[in-house]
Amino acid sequence: MNAAGFPLLSLLTFLPLLGAGILLFVRGEEQAVAANARWTALWTSLITFGLSLILWFQFDKTTADFQFVERLDWMPEFGLGYHMGVDGISVLFVLLSTALTPLCILSSWEAIQSRVREYMIAFLVLETMMIGMFSSLDMVMFYIFFEGVLIPMFLIIGVWGGARRVYAAYKLFLYTLLGSLLMLLALLALWYAAGTTYIPALFELRIAPHVQVWLFLAFFASFAVKVPMWPVHTWLPDAHVEAPTAGSVILAGVLLKMGAYGFLRFSLPLLPQAVEWFAPLIFALSVIAVVYTSLVALAQEDMKKLIAYSSVAHMGIVTIGIFTMNHQGISGAIFQMLSHGVVSGALFLCVGVLYDRVHSREILRYGGVAKIMPVYAAVFMLFTMGSVALPGTAGFPGEFLVIVGAWHANPWVAFGAALGMILGAAYMLWLYRRVIFSRITRDDLRVLLDLSPREVVTFAPLIVLTLWMGLYPSSFFSFFEVSVAALVTRHEAAMALPRLAGM
Amino acid sequence: MNWTLILPELALALVGLVAMVAGVLPKRDTTFGVSMGVLGGLLLAGVLVLAQPEGNAFGGQYVADAFTRFMKLLVVAGAALGLLLAIDWNAKEGLSKFEFPLLVLFSTIGMMIMVSANDLIALYMGLELLSLSLYVIAAFNRDSERSSEAGLKYFVLGALASGLLLYGSSLIYGFSGTTNFDRIADAISSAEGAPFGLVVGLVFVLAALAFKVSAVPFHMWTPDVYEGAPTPVTAFFASAPKVAAIALLVRVAAGPFGDLVAQWQQVIVLCSLGSMILGALAAIGQKNIKRLMAYSSIGHVGYALMGLAVGSELGVRGLLLYMAIYLFTNVGAFAVLIAMRRKGRALEGIDDLAGLGKTDPAMALAMTLFMLSMAGIPPLAGFFGKLYVFLAAVQGGFWTLAVVGVLSSAVSAYYYLRVIKVMFFDSGEALDPRPASLSMVLAGTGLFTTFFFLFPAPFLAAAQAAVAALLG
């Protein structure tokens, strides 16, 4: 049943929590505690990552079933159980989470100087929540992890963030909470209807179309905020700008994927009629998101804000892909989620590099950085290309497939998505030109040091991933190929069935 | 038989009488000794409750079953924790008088009788024993104008509520011919449709009980009394008596008037909706943390009543769990409030918590957990409390209640977060070191709040047994 032979997913989930628990009891001089906290957190996350590689090598790509399954009774009289497992859709997100966390800890090595121990605890708790969410096979557990993410994120932004951090932290928390609570009601209704909270068992459930509409709206309230879709995206730029660099990386890299993952895990398999019914609305909102936020990104003067808006646009492409309901679209969306996780995370790290040195994120503050920091300029170049979806980089396969898929669903939507790619090239290249090229306008920039060895180590895995995903995407597609095919088949079968009444 | 059934109350009363004499006779200050004696008595009562046989006593006036056991354990635990919080505070405020633990003890006896009451007379006796003790301890800091005002206010409004209760009881007695709960139930089910006067009486009784649990629209006294009373007294008010009053409300609604569910359901639904909305909105603007907790407690009563409003077994079970979780979370939060003291002066402003995240990380962490638990954020205990009542509401098809419930949860998260924000994001001076008794309470309730999700089974089972006993 379990390919690893031991409860791998539970171990992955709770190992970071154990590390956080150890950190709670570190005592001593402030400097020593900080150093200890950094190393403990780094090793914990590295060991977690190492263990998670078992998933990469032992995952059976020929089946759409859940693998590495663990089951325990939790509250049997309520039908609640402790169920962990991954399928092709979730396995790579577990890996993404375990891969990004050590990089985040590494990137905070010198940037965070106050309350280091608490910071590292928050990050490890965050990792637990993320991995737990992607590997939960129980609705209530899913909800617990989904919401639990808010606690460390609220503190990370609020304590270690920028000037308007309190506002941003509140906005993130309350926006997401309101959406999630509505989702909770939908989960409770499903729970009542199915008598179980085991997610694969829910797939068998046939729900009356008019009920599906309400359930879809409740799920939508939560996932749309998390993705985020236009017009509920406004928390994201604030959160990104105020968050410390590593917080932005995790936010863009993993947390945004939770919403899209929720659509894939709940809305699509459970509510086929409603999905079909709401798809035009989602397309409209996504195309608006892609075009509008790209234009907004063009007007930004803050580098982080620009990348934040570009995230909204990229996630718009993801939601388009998911709701095309065909193989290309969904595969493209999942790939885009992964590549965006890597590339936008890396872009936030790039901004962080400059911010650590100059303490400004203003675009006009820079210029001519290529002459001072050539290695950095090259790295930044690669990720800029990844973001504009240049063929050969991570961004291309996903966006291309989504556009192909969208063409089948509705050519106009494909046109919107393509327009987003063009605008994306415009704002990213313009950003690059203003920051990296042109003349050196300020003398204090001349003394900047190029990437330190620690920063090189941080960027190296991301560079490799960006090129690997661009040049040989099959090694990633092969993971979710079968699961996506099963999802599409199930959807088509559900649509072919005559409408059943009663829930 | 009668005497063995009522042993917990008897033992507690005996401890109280002995402690009273022991407190008066010696010339020196006996507060600490009496407090410890009362704590011991509460512990003894808890053990006796666990060992209590089930059955009826005194001609059916008194009942002991799984429901009373669950509620009495909560009440005794709440009283003991409340007393533990008060000892050090009273000493620092110069209120160290041996009457305080005694009054807590007598009010606990009142609560236990309330919980076990199976007759309108017994109900009234228990309620008055509780209320009279509470009136006095609300005004315990008699040299403080605010405290005296709180006591007086509580007394006047409480007397009004008692009047309502008696009037309702007399109507019920007049139309059913009995004061015993079982026979009232018989009278309702045998007659073709309940007599109108009985329903009117029921509404009066419900109004009085809604006053005691401070549900909207009978909540007006709560913020003023909570703010004025000494902080440990507020902590006590918000925990044990609230649980006992809710127990009584459930007993009355589900027991004798179970067949009139259509009549009382609307009342409870309105109380629940009103309490949730008011608790969420009115707390936003508060600067005094005791007032904030007052509105928060009104909100929590709203969520708990949601379980009763649904009227199903699942709903009542949700209510019981909600109250159990609320009790411990609330005591923990109040422990932090009681520890708020700088240079010997007690503080009550939310802003006085500023910088706690730096100056006392352990307490700030505990308070964060309590606040998030009250906001219903998983995986903390408060989330499960809300989960069970929402589940019941969804199953019963009470969508209005469920939707208003989640919306007001989201709104109330704002003010709980504000406390966290003040502690972690702002900076301020250190508080005085906290006494060991507070640290103990904080650690205990903090661990309960955090790790409830690991061991929910015994609580679920106990609540299930309690519901089965209540609804037969």
Side-chain angles (χ1 to χ4, degrees):
Chain A
M1 184 162 97
N2 191 332
F6 62 97
L8 174 65
L9 289 171
S10 297
L11 193 63
L12 287 181
T13 305
F14 294 108
L15 197 63
L17 204 59
L18 182 72
I22 293 172
L23 282 182
L24 267 183
F25 294 101
V26 175
R27 291 272 178 277
E29 290 279 306
E30 200 178 328
Q31 285 302 317
V33 169
N36 273 334
R38 288 189 186 108
W39 283 108
T40 312
L42 182 65
W43 276 110
T44 312
S45 59
L46 279 177
I47 293 171
T48 311
F49 174 65
L51 282 171
S52 72
L53 286 178
I54 297 177
L55 287 176
W56 175 268
F57 291 111
Q58 296 204 5
F59 186 81
D60 181 1
K61 298 172 187 175
T62 57
T63 167
D65 290 341
F66 287 97
Q67 304 177 32
F68 301 94
V69 175
E70 299 163 25
R71 300 189 67 155
L72 274 178
D73 276 344
W74 185 27
M75 300 183 209
E77 58 267 59
F78 277 90
L80 266 179
Y82 174 86
H83 299 296
M84 301 285 254
V86 285
D87 68 350
I89 295 173
S90 52
V91 62
L92 288 180
F93 292 105
V94 174
L95 285 162
L96 183 69
S97 310
T98 58
L100 281 181
T101 306
L103 299 180
C104 285
I105 288 168
L106 214 51
S107 79
S108 318
W109 209 260
E110 281 150 26
I112 301 296
Q113 289 297 343
S114 68
R115 304 198 208 176
V116 178
R117 180 171 63 148
E118 287 83 352
Y119 181 85
M120 294 303 169
I121 290 175
F123 254 92
L124 291 175
V125 172
L126 189 60
E127 185 177 17
T128 287
M129 298 293 174
M130 294 187 299
I131 299 173
M133 199 224 67
F134 285 119
S135 39
S136 297
L137 287 188
D138 184 281
M139 286 194 301
V140 175
M141 277 172 63
F142 170 86
Y143 183 80
I144 288 173
F145 287 120
F146 190 88
E147 282 272 79
V149 165
L150 287 179
I151 303 173
M153 206 61 211
F154 178 76
L155 293 174
I156 287 171
I157 295 180
V159 178
W160 294 276
R164 287 171 71 239
R165 57 183 196 271
V166 175
Y167 172 76
Y170 266 105
K171 203 166 174 182
L172 162 87
F173 198 103
L174 294 177
Y175 253 73
T176 328
L177 180 69
L178 183 62
S180 315
L181 282 169
L182 292 171
M183 172 174 77
L184 179 64
L185 288 184
L187 291 178
L188 293 176
L190 281 173
W191 183 357
Y192 174 50
T196 175
T197 52
Y198 185 50
I199 292 173
L202 294 176
F203 294 162
E204 311 302 323
L205 201 62
R206 299 254 166 268
I207 304 168
H210 69 279
V211 181
Q212 284 191 18
V213 168
W214 286 105
L215 291 178
F216 184 91
L217 284 173
F219 278 120
F220 182 73
S222 174
F223 299 145
V225 169
K226 204 88 172 184
V227 165
M229 292 176 70
W230 185 86
V232 285
H233 66 281
T234 59
W235 63 271
L236 183 73
D238 287 314
H240 266 315
V241 169
E242 301 307 329
T245 302
S248 292
V249 173
I250 284 291
L251 194 57
V254 184
L255 299 202
L256 299 192
K257 311 303 176 291
M258 291 184 166
Y261 174 75
F263 279 129
L264 287 169
R265 183 59 79 227
F266 289 100
S267 304
L268 256 54
L270 293 177
L271 314 167
Q273 272 90 11
V275 164
E276 206 75 18
W277 203 70
F278 278 105
L281 174 75
I282 306 274
F283 286 149
L285 292 181
S286 306
V287 169
I288 293 175
V290 169
V291 176
Y292 167 76
T293 51
S294 298
L295 292 173
V296 173
L298 272 175
Q300 294 308 314
E301 289 164 356
D302 183 309
M303 287 193 279
K304 259 186 149 177
K305 219 166 189 164
L306 190 148
I307 299 170
Y309 277 109
S310 89
S311 288
V312 181
H314 282 125
M315 292 310 289
I317 293 189
V318 170
T319 45
I320 290 177
I322 290 175
F323 282 85
T324 57
M325 290 313 307
N326 56 42
H327 196 123
Q328 292 95 331
I330 296 178
S331 298
I334 295 175
F335 196 89
Q336 168 82 352
M337 282 154 77
L338 294 167
S339 74
H340 178 258
V342 173
V343 170
S344 76
L347 282 172
F348 279 116
L349 285 175
C350 287
V351 176
V353 166
L354 282 184
Y355 184 78
D356 287 347
R357 287 163 172 70
V358 186
H359 293 286
S360 168
R361 295 180 303 255
E362 218 182 317
I363 297 173
L364 296 176
R365 179 75 180 70
Y366 298 95
V369 172
K371 298 188 187 101
I372 315 154
M373 303 167 69
V375 181
Y376 171 74
V379 171
F380 196 178
M381 166 76 108
L382 176 76
F383 294 125
T384 304
M385 291 305 142
S387 179
V388 304
L390 188 81
T393 62
F396 178 71
E399 294 203 10
F400 178 73
L401 277 176
V402 168
I403 291 174
V404 172
W407 186 268
H408 288 302
N410 182 339
W412 285 105
V413 175
F415 176 73
L419 195 62
M421 283 180 82
I422 299 169
L423 288 169
Y427 60 73
M428 282 314 292
L429 292 176
W430 196 34
L431 167 74
Y432 191 77
R433 189 190 77 87
R434 284 182 290 173
V435 173
I436 304 291
F437 297 144
S438 72
R439 278 178 297 116
I440 302 172
T441 46
R442 290 171 191 259
D443 286 332
D444 59 345
L445 292 180
R446 288 182 198 281
V447 294
L448 294 190
L449 297 173
D450 209 339
L451 294 185
S452 69
R454 179 182 58 80
E455 285 163 338
V456 172
V457 171
T458 315
F459 278 117
L462 295 170
I463 294 170
V464 172
L465 269 177
T466 307
L467 291 173
W468 184 6
M469 291 177 86
L471 294 173
Y472 194 67
S474 302
S475 45
F476 298 89
F477 276 120
S478 60
F479 274 92
F480 48 83
E481 198 96 13
V482 184
S483 292
V484 169
L487 189 64
V488 173
T489 319
R490 193 185 299 127
H491 179 77
E492 280 162 1
M495 291 311 293
L497 275 179
R499 297 197 160 193
L500 290 173
M503 184 171 150
Chain B
M1 180 63 187
N2 285 352
W3 303 109
T4 48
L5 261 186
I6 201 169
L7 200 58
E9 284 86 350
L10 274 184
L12 206 53
L14 214 60
V15 170
L17 294 176
V18 171
M20 189 145 44
V21 176
V24 178
L25 284 183
K27 290 271 186 302
R28 62 205 154 68
D29 179 25
T30 50
T31 314
F32 187 77
V34 172
S35 301
M36 287 304 129
V38 169
L39 275 179
L42 289 172
L43 200 67
L44 176 71
V47 173
L48 289 175
V49 166
L50 274 178
Q52 197 178 17
E54 298 190 358
N56 281 334
F58 301 107
Q61 292 212 37
Y62 178 98
V63 62
D65 55 21
F67 175 76
T68 63
R69 187 178 304 138
F70 186 87
M71 281 306 191
K72 278 183 190 172
L73 283 178
L74 284 186
V75 161
V76 170
L81 288 170
L83 185 57
L84 209 54
L85 293 180
I87 295 172
D88 176 75
W89 201 89
N90 283 355
K92 283 187 178 142
E93 291 289 308
L95 294 175
S96 219
K97 301 198 174 70
F98 77 92
E99 287 90 346
F100 188 89
L102 279 178
L103 286 166
V104 169
L105 180 134
F106 286 123
S107 70
T108 311
I109 300 176
M111 289 187 261
M112 289 169 75
I113 291 177
M114 270 164 72
V115 170
S116 271
N118 197 36
D119 185 287
L120 289 169
I121 307 281
L123 182 160
Y124 184 72
M125 301 281 285
L127 195 64
E128 281 307 288
L129 182 53
L130 165 70
S131 301
L132 285 172
S133 315
L134 292 189
Y135 300 146
V136 180
I137 56 172
F140 201 72
N141 190 2
R142 60 176 187 194
D143 297 330
S144 146
E145 261 178 45
R146 287 201 313 165
S147 179
S148 310
E149 186 196 323
L152 191 62
K153 208 172 235 170
Y154 191 39
F155 174 67
V156 171
L157 290 171
L160 183 69
S162 297
L164 288 177
L165 181 72
L166 281 178
Y167 187 57
S169 303
S170 65
L171 277 173
I172 293 172
Y173 175 64
F175 280 89
S176 66
T178 176
T179 55
N180 184 284
F181 283 178
D182 300 330
R183 265 167 271 151
I184 292 174
D186 293 342
I188 290 172
S189 56
S190 65
E192 53 283 359
F196 182 67
L198 201 65
V199 179
V200 175
L202 170 63
V203 171
F204 275 108
V205 170
L206 286 182
L209 293 179
F211 173 86
K212 292 293 174 194
V213 302
S214 66
V216 172
F218 305 99
H219 63 279
M220 269 77 146
W221 59 276
T222 318
D224 293 341
V225 173
Y226 275 34
E227 187 187 355
T231 313
V233 174
T234 312
F236 182 60
F237 273 25
S239 47
K242 196 153 259 188
V243 171
I246 287 264
L248 189 58
L249 185 55
V250 172
R251 165 77 82 190
V252 169
F257 298 103
D259 286 337
L260 286 182
V261 61
Q263 264 76 24
W264 58 255
Q265 196 164 41
Q266 315 158 19
V267 179
I268 302 291
V269 166
L270 280 181
C271 283
S272 168
L273 285 175
S275 306
M276 289 189 291
I277 295 171
L278 184 103
L281 295 179
I284 291 175
Q286 302 304 329
K287 295 201 165 57
N288 182 300
I289 196 154
K290 281 159 76 180
R291 269 190 107 76
L292 182 128
M293 293 302 287
Y295 283 111
S296 140
S297 84
I298 294 174
H300 285 297
V301 165
Y303 293 108
L305 287 184
M306 191 196 284
L308 180 60
V310 172
S312 65
E313 196 171 313
L314 199 70
V316 177
R317 177 162 63 167
L319 175 147
L320 297 183
L321 285 166
Y322 197 96
M323 288 318 287
I325 291 166
Y326 164 79
L327 177 81
F328 290 109
T329 314
N330 200 55
V331 167
F334 268 103
V336 176
L337 265 55
I338 289 166
M340 283 170 64
R341 186 179 283 280
R342 204 171 278 142
K343 300 194 183 78
R345 253 191 64 236
L347 304 167
E348 295 182 357
I350 295 175
D351 294 337
D352 294 321
L353 282 170
L356 197 67
K358 205 152 206 156
T359 56
D360 190 349
M363 191 155 83
L365 177 68
M367 187 64 165
T368 306
L369 292 172
F370 298 135
M371 289 293 122
L372 291 174
S373 171
M374 289 199 177
I377 308 294
L380 303 170
F383 165 71
F384 291 96
K386 288 210 167 105
L387 183 73
Y388 299 131
V389 290
F390 285 154
L391 181 67
V394 167
Q395 293 204 345
F398 287 78
W399 285 100
T400 318
L401 275 176
V403 170
V404 170
V406 298
L407 292 182
S408 50
S409 284
V411 174
S412 61
Y414 171 77
Y415 58 78
Y416 293 127
L417 281 184
R418 200 170 91 212
V419 176
I420 301 173
K421 176 224 141 195
V422 168
M423 288 190 302
F424 283 96
F425 305 173
D426 300 351
S427 52
E429 289 169 53
L431 299 175
D432 293 352
R434 58 176 186 275
S437 58
L438 285 187
S439 302
M440 265 161 53
V441 175
L442 276 175
T445 51
L447 289 175
F448 173 84
T449 309
T450 316
F451 293 109
F452 175 81
F453 73 99
L454 285 180
F455 312 103
F459 293 93
L460 288 172
Q464 180 58 42
V467 173
L470 180 70
L471 301 178

